[in-house]
Amino acid sequence: MGRIRVLSDQVANQIAAGEVVERPASVVKELLENALDARATRIRIEVEAGGRKLIRIADDGHGMGRDDSLLAFERHATSKLRSSDDLLQIATLGFRGEALPSIASVSRLTMETRAPEDEAGTLLEIAGGKLLRVEDLGRPAGTTLTIRDLFFNTPARRKFLRSESTELQHVAALVTHYALANPTKHFELHSATHALLVAPAVTSAADRMFQIFGRETVDQMIPVAAETDFARVGIPEPPPWKRDENYEPPEPGVMRISGFVSKPELQKLNRNSIYVFVNGRLIRDRLVLHALSESYRNVIPPTSFPVVLLFLDVPPAEVDVNVHPAKTEVRFRQQSIVHDFLRDSVRTALIAARPVMSFAMALTDSPLAAEALRIDVSPMPGAPDLPPASEGDPQQGDAAAFSLQPDAFLATEQRIVFPQTEAPVDEPPFLLEPEQRVSGRHSCSSATPEEGEERPETLHSLATLRAVGQLRNSFILAVNEDGLWIIDQHVAHERVLFEKILRERRTESVQRQRLLMPLLVDLQPAQMLAFAELADELDRNGFEAEPFGPRTLAVKAAPVGLEGKELEHLLDEVLADDRTGQVENAEARRTRIAASIACHAAIKINMPLDPAKIEWLLAELAKTQHPTSCPHGRPIALRYSLKEIQRAFNRI
């Protein structure tokens, strides 16, 4: 008798469950996506014991008839595909037909469903993949799935589940993700003791963000909206000899991005506050994460990450979602186009906003996650480990592991209830309404011209600053009609020089000064190897240097403003090989060298400046693209607004 055998359907389903059903949150994800595909407008999720004991999801979608409900538990039975060509244009969240049979094979499952056109609904009961009963019942249109005793017949899988609070947090994070992606739908999440989330339908994603994150986080976000036509970049087509006589060129379609990104001062220690949805699907894609890191390069420190809520809509034919068992990764057909579009769109929004950090924000902000974000910090079930932010090509960071670890779930007995509003389902998710703020005045305060509508906190008013002096020869004090400003003179000059160096580098007009005598710099062997790699880029940035022995470098010319010890320290810093094996592309190398030159050539602290120099520095800072922070992410200017001053003196 041969050794190879065909497995039974039950064993095959349990093997598939190992890929699809990793933990209770995986079950919630699959069933939640089915409800959204069924066009449900109200979804209620109930969880007990972290999902081990009970998971119940009820929706008001289109439901199923008796025959369809039985077929739904057959492997690879689905209503979303008809042929292999449909795999190239998937527009639904689910499509494989594996979730229901896989879940039913490792749990005790009950499904109640009714299609709107049927008089009676259908009740199915399955335990461990075996159908126990089928009968009619009366119920509203829609579907309710109840999962009990998850992994009851696979004790090894059950043993590896985490604590109830951890599993509950993963479920809460997942539901929050999909609530963010679908603001026009009603979501509820209940545990055995209290409601974790009640989010009625709203008209825009901005309102949904306010529901979940609160006003403080929403006020620190910048809206992003852009689109591009694939016709401008071209789309792949088969060669002429493979086209038949009826061939028609495909429609190029449009790529759109909308959502919010955080101001530079709102920083996190990991990527867990980055939510990116591609065609409504929450994904963790290295290409997208790299584009976001590039958009914040030289704006925030490289070890910090922004808060992001972005929706990327692309033609279904331009993205392949059938590349991961849990569908948490995608592959774009034109990766470079998507990467550059996402990077440039976010970068443009940051440049246009030019947000300013206030004193209160600078004193209270830290990279630690805010309370409002702790419900969402766990990764998606089945999400891949992500590498740390790479300086090079996005595909080169796959070797390094990045583990997304959830914080401890903070249970609360207080019910989260938001105002009930009606929302049209077909309304676009992003409608940014101008915010109206009303501020009251104390009865004894005197009226001032600025007590109308509060101005947005941006750096567009830097050009109107009037310097009043220096503090400890390190910080410039300036005023305008917005309030009192403190500018760090070193990082301000560093930003000015950084952008000037990059401009001159692009136009090949870098100014260099020849040294009277060559400067000899002793280097380590690894630094000499790094010099051989960076010699051309250093030359383009104003250096003229050559080896002078096995471990010595002779510098004959340097960029204007660098000399002596500063020049030695700069070369030691630039040539230090501390990238721990990460690949550095040309753009990252260019900006790294420019940032080092700017830092060492900039005005130092404890340096007195005459009024003319201060006025020049403020004027030049106002002309920069990113006056928010220096190339290394440190803030440049803090503003004590007139309203904050009035409040401190009890004037309002």
Side-chain angles (χ1 to χ4, degrees):
M1 184 176 179
R3 297 182 179 181
I4 299 176
R5 298 177 179 86
V6 178
L7 298 176
S8 65
D9 289 343
Q10 182 178 358
V11 176
N13 284 333
Q14 290 184 351
I15 293 175
E19 297 179 344
V20 178
V21 186
E22 179 185 356
R23 63 194 326 153
S26 306
V27 176
V28 175
K29 175 181 181 293
E30 298 294 341
L31 301 184
L32 193 57
E33 289 181 348
N34 284 344
L36 293 171
D37 286 339
R39 300 179 182 177
T41 59
R42 295 181 63 89
I43 302 175
R44 177 186 173 94
I45 302 102
E46 300 175 28
V47 178
E48 293 183 12
R52 303 184 192 194
K53 184 178 179 181
L54 171 71
I55 298 173
R56 179 180 290 120
I57 297 184
D59 66 70
D60 61 350
H62 53 60
M64 291 180 285
R66 187 185 186 95
D67 293 339
D68 284 346
S69 61
L70 289 170
L71 278 175
F73 290 92
E74 297 292 334
R75 287 199 71 194
H76 305 303
T78 178
S79 62
K80 300 159 187 175
L81 296 177
R82 288 293 180 268
S83 67
S84 59
D85 293 338
D86 294 338
L87 284 172
L88 303 177
Q89 298 191 17
I90 296 174
T92 56
L93 297 176
F95 54 88
R96 292 188 183 131
E98 288 183 318
L100 285 179
S102 299
I103 294 170
S105 68
V106 292
S107 67
R108 308 182 198 275
L109 181 146
T110 303
M111 183 174 75
E112 301 176 6
T113 183
R114 183 177 77 85
E117 64 274 10
D118 293 342
E119 295 182 357
T122 304
L123 169 66
L124 278 79
E125 186 176 338
I126 302 174
K130 296 181 180 179
L131 181 63
L132 301 182
R133 67 177 171 136
V134 183
E135 59 185 45
D136 294 340
L137 84 161
R139 59 157 289 128
T143 302
T144 300
L145 277 153
T146 303
I147 314 297
R148 299 182 185 274
D149 302 328
L150 186 63
F151 300 132
F152 79 97
N153 55 351
T154 53
R157 297 289 305 280
R158 191 178 184 91
K159 182 177 67 174
F160 281 96
L161 292 178
R162 306 292 292 275
S163 64
E164 291 185 8
S165 61
T166 299
E167 297 298 341
L168 182 59
Q169 189 211 1
H170 281 276
V171 173
L174 182 84
V175 176
T176 305
H177 295 157
Y178 281 96
L180 287 169
N182 299 272
T184 59
K185 300 182 187 296
H186 180 102
F187 286 84
E188 293 184 23
L189 174 61
H190 299 266
S191 69
T193 57
H194 55 275
L196 298 176
L197 178 68
V198 179
V202 291
T203 57
S204 68
D207 294 336
R208 182 70 94 198
M209 282 189 63
F210 176 77
Q211 284 182 337
I212 294 175
F213 294 141
R215 169 64 63 187
E216 181 180 354
T217 299
V218 172
D219 286 344
Q220 297 184 54
M221 304 298 283
I222 300 170
V224 178
E227 70 174 38
T228 185
D229 193 336
F230 274 109
R232 297 176 56 188
V233 298
I235 58 175
E237 294 188 54
W241 59 86
K242 289 188 177 182
R243 304 175 187 176
D244 56 29
E245 56 185 16
N246 298 323
Y247 174 79
E248 294 183 2
E251 290 292 332
V254 176
M255 178 167 52
R256 295 185 179 89
I257 185 174
S258 57
F260 299 89
V261 295
S262 62
K263 298 177 181 178
E265 62 265 20
L266 181 58
Q267 301 170 16
K268 303 302 174 185
L269 294 176
N270 53 41
R271 297 181 176 93
N272 293 340
S273 295
I274 296 178
Y275 311 109
V276 179
F277 298 85
V278 175
N279 292 347
R281 184 189 307 276
L282 180 66
I283 58 109
R284 293 285 187 185
D285 187 78
R286 290 182 175 87
L287 182 85
V288 172
L289 293 174
H290 184 270
L292 292 172
S293 298
E294 288 295 301
S295 64
Y296 276 88
R297 180 184 294 277
N298 301 123
V299 177
I300 63 176
T303 55
S304 299
F305 302 92
V307 176
V308 175
L309 174 62
L310 286 180
F311 297 86
L312 185 63
D313 295 317
V314 299
E318 292 292 329
V319 59
D320 184 3
V321 300
N322 190 28
V323 296
H324 190 273
K327 295 171 288 190
T328 55
E329 291 184 355
V330 297
R331 290 293 180 270
F332 297 99
R333 184 158 67 169
Q334 303 188 76
Q335 297 191 21
S336 61
I337 301 301
V338 175
H339 176 276
D340 295 348
F341 172 70
L342 181 58
R343 178 199 61 198
D344 296 343
S345 299
V346 174
R347 192 81 170 183
T348 300
L350 291 172
I351 293 174
R354 297 162 71 93
V356 62
M357 183 180 287
S358 67
F359 275 88
M361 193 180 301
L363 293 175
T364 59
D365 269 13
S366 71
L368 298 177
E371 293 288 338
L373 292 173
R374 289 188 179 177
I375 194 173
D376 302 304
V377 295
S378 64
M380 297 179 298
D385 289 341
L386 296 171
S390 171
E391 296 291 338
D393 186 79
Q395 304 299 328
Q396 300 292 336
D398 296 353
F402 181 81
S403 177
L404 297 176
Q405 297 294 335
D407 293 344
F409 180 76
L410 301 179
T412 175
E413 298 295 332
Q414 184 177 2
R415 181 182 176 87
I416 307 174
V417 180
F418 304 106
Q420 182 73 31
T421 58
E422 295 296 330
V425 177
D426 56 350
E427 186 130 344
F430 275 88
L431 295 174
L432 299 178
E433 298 294 336
E435 182 181 358
Q436 295 181 351
R437 303 180 181 176
V438 180
S439 60
R441 291 193 294 113
H442 195 275
S443 58
C444 66
S445 64
S446 59
T448 61
E450 290 79 13
E451 285 179 352
E453 184 177 353
E454 184 179 349
R455 295 185 173 201
E457 296 182 352
T458 71
L459 290 169
H460 289 290
S461 58
L462 277 175
T464 64
L465 286 180
R466 179 171 54 86
V468 296
Q470 279 182 287
L471 177 64
R472 297 242 176 180
N473 292 330
S474 302
F475 302 96
I476 298 172
L477 302 181
V479 295
N480 64 3
E481 59 182 5
D482 291 339
L484 172 66
W485 297 68
I486 296 183
I487 296 97
D488 187 324
Q489 63 189 34
H490 170 68
V491 296
H493 194 209
E494 187 178 344
R495 167 55 67 177
V496 171
L497 291 178
F498 174 72
E499 296 192 7
K500 176 176 179 287
I501 292 168
L502 289 181
R503 284 196 307 270
E504 293 178 347
R505 167 67 176 78
R506 284 193 295 267
T507 59
E508 300 289 342
S509 58
V510 175
Q511 298 180 359
R512 69 177 73 194
Q513 57 184 6
R514 298 198 64 83
L515 305 181
L516 185 61
M517 295 290 294
L519 176 67
L520 301 181
V521 181
D522 293 330
L523 300 175
Q524 298 296 323
Q527 291 177 310
M528 291 298 294
L529 295 175
F531 171 74
E533 181 182 353
L534 298 176
D536 183 64
E537 185 61 37
L538 289 173
D539 180 72
R540 292 171 181 268
N541 280 277
F543 290 92
E544 183 180 336
E546 59 185 19
F548 190 75
R551 294 181 52 180
T552 304
L553 200 66
V555 183
K556 300 179 180 179
V560 174
L562 288 175
E563 57 185 13
K565 289 295 182 181
E566 285 295 338
L567 181 54
E568 291 187 38
H569 293 160
L570 167 65
L571 289 172
D572 184 70
E573 176 183 301
V574 169
L575 298 177
D577 189 12
D578 59 353
R579 300 190 304 276
T580 63
Q582 296 181 7
V583 176
E584 185 179 47
N585 61 20
E587 179 65 25
R589 178 183 302 168
R590 191 157 47 244
T591 56
R592 179 171 68 88
I593 293 176
S596 294
I597 296 174
C599 182
H600 288 275
I603 296 169
K604 303 299 186 288
I605 60 172
N606 299 319
M607 179 182 292
L609 303 177
D610 58 66
K613 183 70 172 179
I614 293 177
E615 294 294 340
W616 172 86
L617 180 58
L618 294 180
E620 292 299 312
L621 179 63
K623 298 176 185 178
T624 60
Q625 288 186 330
H626 286 285
T628 308
S629 57
C630 78
H632 301 100
R634 295 187 299 270
I636 292 176
L638 301 179
R639 188 192 68 173
Y640 200 7
S641 69
L642 180 59
K643 187 174 182 179
E644 290 172 327
I645 296 174
Q646 290 174 327
R647 186 180 294 115
F649 284 101
N650 294 326
R651 305 296 292 177
I652 57 174

